[in-house]
């Protein structure tokens, strides 16, 4: 009898522990964003103003969930207020619109520095010589559930929409990439044929970008993307949301792969550049 009582109690405790987070999330989502918070989203999320109402509503809900589940830590005296919280959440959740994925399930903490932050780097060369250096970073994404950002640069990206650079989009693209188990430029895509075309298009455009970087040729994609396949995916994500018209013109097949993956077309809410983007000489895609 006593054993039965204990089994019942343990079962109830496990059920409560499993249901409690869902109940808390439901409660948080029932509380809509305040007018002042919506104003921050509108001000600092690329494209929010041009989005159709259903996408805006989706973004708001994703942001509510992000704010409920993720912890922010201000570093070097930075105070975390709604401006910081909403700006970062609004940009990060842009990558999740229309997609069935959860809200960065592996991420628990966003650390925010006032500006670029120094991190120690340890390099070992072929002869085994260890060099300790310190490197200035704007952002970092960790597989253990942390993203680190420079608030200065987050704000700059919000102000300079269309520049092609957005540190939040970049670091959260790394988070999506790592959901597949490794950070290699191939996020979780679903079926095998999606991986085939993704690998064919991305590896070709990655090789082309490496050549552009080597020969100092201008490209719509930042040359930093030539560093590795993971950086290529993160840089191409920034370009997809920040310069969609130019990316579609000069990397049509890459743009098509990102359309399939992100399930939104940022051209719909981004004005095309006034002058055609003739400075990028080569169209990568159709005929290679
Ligand atoms: Zn990166």
């Amino acid at each position: 009898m006593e054993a039965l009582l204990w089994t019942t109690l343990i079962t109830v405790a496990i059920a409560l522990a499993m249901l409690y987070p869902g109940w808390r999330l439901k409660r948080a989502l029932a509380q809509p964003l305040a007018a002042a918070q919506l104003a921050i989203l509108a001000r600092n999320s690329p494209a929010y103003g041009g989005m159709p109402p259903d996408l805006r509503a989706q973004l708001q809900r994703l942001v509510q969930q992000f704010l409920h589940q993720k912890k922010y830590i201000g570093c070097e005296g930075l105070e975390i207020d709604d401006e910081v919280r909403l700006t970062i959440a609004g940009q990060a959740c842009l990558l999740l619109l229309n997609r069935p994925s959860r809200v960065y399930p592996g991420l628990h903490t966003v650390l925010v520095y006032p500006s670029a932050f120094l991190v120690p780097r340890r390099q070992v060369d072929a002869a085994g010589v260890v060099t300790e250096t310190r490197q200035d970073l704007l952002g970092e994404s960790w597989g253990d559930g942390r993203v680190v950002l420079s608030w200065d640069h987050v704000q700059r990206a919000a102000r300079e929409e269309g520049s092609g650079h957005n540190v939040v989009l970049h670091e959260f693209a790394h988070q999506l990439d790592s959901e597949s188990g490794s950070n290699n430029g191939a996020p979780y895509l679903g079926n095998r044929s999606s991986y085939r075309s993704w690998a064919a298009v991305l590896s070709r455009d990655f090789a082309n970008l490496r050549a552009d970087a080597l020969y100092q040729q201008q490209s719509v994609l930042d040359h930093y993307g030539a560093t590795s396949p993971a950086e290529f995916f993160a840089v191409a994500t920034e370009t997809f949301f920040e310069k969609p018209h130019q990316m579609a013109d000069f990397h049509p097949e890459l743009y098509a792969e990102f359309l399939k993956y992100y399930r939104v077309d940022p051209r719909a809410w981004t004005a095309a550049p006034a002058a055609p983007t003739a400075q990028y000489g080569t169209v990568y895609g159709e005929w290679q």
Side-chain angles (χ1 to χ4, degrees):
M1 191 66 189
E2 203 170 301
L4 181 66
L5 182 66
W6 275 110
T7 311
T8 310
L9 281 174
I10 290 167
T11 310
V12 169
I14 291 172
L16 283 176
M18 284 170 71
L19 294 174
Y20 184 61
W23 176 79
R24 281 191 63 229
L25 175 62
K26 219 169 153 183
R27 234 172 61 134
L29 291 178
Q31 199 63 244
L33 294 172
Q37 294 178 311
L38 286 174
I40 298 170
L41 260 195
R43 201 166 55 237
N44 293 346
S45 296
Y48 184 81
M51 274 180 196
D54 65 311
L55 280 188
R56 253 188 261 171
Q58 256 193 64
L59 187 69
Q60 287 169 23
R61 203 175 163 78
L62 288 163
V63 164
Q64 280 174 276
Q65 189 170 343
F66 189 99
L67 296 181
H68 171 70
Q69 292 177 328
K70 314 306 176 196
K71 182 180 176 185
Y72 286 80
I73 296 177
C75 306
E76 292 178 354
L78 184 93
E79 196 190 320
I80 300 293
D81 57 13
D82 263 359
E83 188 80 17
V84 176
R85 284 154 35 87
L86 270 291
T87 303
I88 293 171
Q91 295 183 13
C93 291
L94 196 60
L95 306 187
L96 306 177
L97 290 170
N98 281 351
R99 301 180 57 239
S101 54
R102 291 185 289 147
V103 179
Y104 302 108
L107 175 83
H108 50 75
T109 308
V110 181
L111 295 112
V112 193
Y113 283 83
S115 54
F117 47 95
L118 278 173
V119 290
R121 285 279 184 260
R122 190 168 187 271
Q123 282 170 335
V124 185
D125 69 13
V129 178
V130 178
T131 315
E132 306 272 0
T133 57
R134 287 168 77 78
Q135 195 183 5
D136 250 339
L137 290 184
L138 320 181
E140 236 185 351
S141 171
W142 290 81
D144 64 359
R146 289 176 297 149
V147 162
V148 192
L149 295 164
S150 149
W151 176 233
D152 247 7
H153 294 85
V154 173
Q155 286 177 295
R156 198 174 298 175
R159 270 197 312 270
E160 296 169 2
E161 198 179 309
S163 68
H165 297 115
N166 184 310
V167 66
V168 179
L169 299 182
H170 184 105
E171 300 309 335
F172 281 86
H174 282 316
Q175 284 290 313
L176 291 180
D177 192 1
S178 62
E179 282 174 12
S180 64
S182 61
N183 227 330
N184 57 5
Y188 179 71
L189 298 171
N191 57 57
R192 199 177 287 179
S193 72
S194 299
Y195 281 101
R196 258 200 306 273
S197 68
W198 181 270
V201 172
L202 268 82
S203 56
R204 183 200 58 206
D205 281 18
F206 172 60
N208 288 334
L209 187 63
R210 282 172 65 100
D212 283 347
L214 185 65
Y215 297 110
Q216 310 262 307
Q217 295 287 321
Q218 272 207 320
S219 165
V220 67
L221 298 165
D222 191 283
H223 287 173
Y224 184 63
T227 320
S228 68
E231 295 307 336
F232 182 79
F233 172 63
V235 164
T237 294
E238 289 178 81
T239 315
F240 179 74
F241 284 98
E242 288 263 319
K243 290 181 165 182
H245 297 278
Q246 295 96 318
M247 183 168 164
D249 285 349
F250 289 90
H251 298 263
E253 290 183 8
L254 184 64
Y255 194 80
E257 288 300 318
F258 275 63
L259 271 181
K260 276 191 274 173
Y261 178 66
Y262 282 118
R263 302 185 185 198
V264 287
D265 188 349
R267 286 175 299 184
W269 61 64
T270 312
T277 45
Q279 72 268 30
Y280 310 117
T282 317
V283 177
Y284 292 125
E286 304 118 315
W287 32 259
Q288 293 193 40

